[in-house]
Amino acid sequence: MDNLSSSRVWVMRAAYLGLALLIIFFQLLPLSTLPPFWAWPDLLLAITFAWAMRRPDYVPALSIAGVMLLSDLILMRPPGLMAALVVFGAAQLKNRTGGLRDASFVGEWVAAGMMMVLVVILNRVILATLIVDQAPLGLTLIQLIMTIAAYPAVVLLSHVLLGVRKLSPNSEDALGARA
């Protein structure tokens, strides 16, 4: 019952916001002045999707939108595009949570990976349609592959350090999930 308390939910929502701000801070650090030949995984996307699938009540859409919009503005991406795509992706994953509850971790990983691929493809297509400068395709694909590969580590660290576990069937009913 401890996981269902409203104070726990609010603490975890604040933890998500804190983690997001920490990730954005580290993305801003000038670790190298040379042009990158490979890209780090998008940990913000991985954490958002992992938490949306495991505990949808910890990451409400408004929090995701705010974090991703802040990330868009600070990282000088077109404002709102990635935010809208990630909110859409997280909502789709939240809707699948009931079906993925009984699936293995590999099924969850595949679902998250497919949503990451969809978000990246839609982002590139929309930017190309609007004739906006983009990162090279190779760099984007490396970041996508690294993000999908980092997903298990993100889930493991979220599970061990923060206690973000999958909902059980009885806790979903207590939260008022749809059947």
Side-chain angles (χ1 to χ4, degrees):
M1 191 68 182
D2 181 49
N3 283 342
L4 296 177
S5 69
S6 63
S7 63
R8 168 82 175 159
V9 171
W10 283 103
V11 166
M12 293 309 291
R13 288 177 180 179
Y16 171 73
L17 294 174
L19 276 173
L21 292 175
L22 188 67
I23 290 169
I24 292 170
F25 172 75
F26 279 109
Q27 287 179 335
L28 290 175
L29 289 178
L31 299 177
S32 175
T33 57
L34 300 174
F37 293 106
W38 64 284
W40 287 93
D42 188 352
L43 293 178
L44 191 54
L45 181 66
I47 286 174
T48 301
F49 283 176
W51 286 32
M53 288 178 64
R54 293 183 157 257
R55 288 303 300 257
D57 53 330
Y58 289 172
V59 284
L62 194 57
S63 293
I64 296 171
V67 162
M68 294 308 292
L69 182 61
L70 179 67
S71 175
D72 285 347
L73 293 172
I74 289 178
L75 299 176
M76 294 187 290
R77 297 187 296 222
L81 177 59
M82 186 61 103
L85 292 174
V86 173
V87 167
F88 167 76
Q92 292 300 315
L93 290 174
K94 285 180 183 182
N95 287 339
R96 293 184 188 175
T97 300
L100 290 172
R101 180 182 58 229
D102 298 329
S104 67
F105 175 74
V106 175
E108 174 187 338
W109 190 9
V110 167
M114 287 180 6
M115 192 56 66
M116 289 176 197
V117 169
L118 181 66
V119 165
V120 168
I121 288 173
L122 285 174
N123 186 39
R124 288 198 62 92
V125 166
I126 292 170
L127 290 176
T129 303
L130 298 174
I131 311 172
V132 175
D133 287 334
Q134 301 181 53
L137 179 61
L139 203 56
T140 303
L141 290 177
I142 290 171
Q143 184 178 34
L144 175 63
I145 292 167
M146 295 287 287
T147 304
I148 293 171
Y151 184 81
V154 167
V155 168
L156 179 68
L157 290 174
S158 294
H159 181 81
V160 171
L161 297 178
L162 299 170
V164 179
R165 292 169 175 78
K166 280 187 179 181
L167 284 173
S168 63
N170 59 355
S171 60
E172 264 191 22
D173 292 339
L175 288 173
R178 291 179 224 148

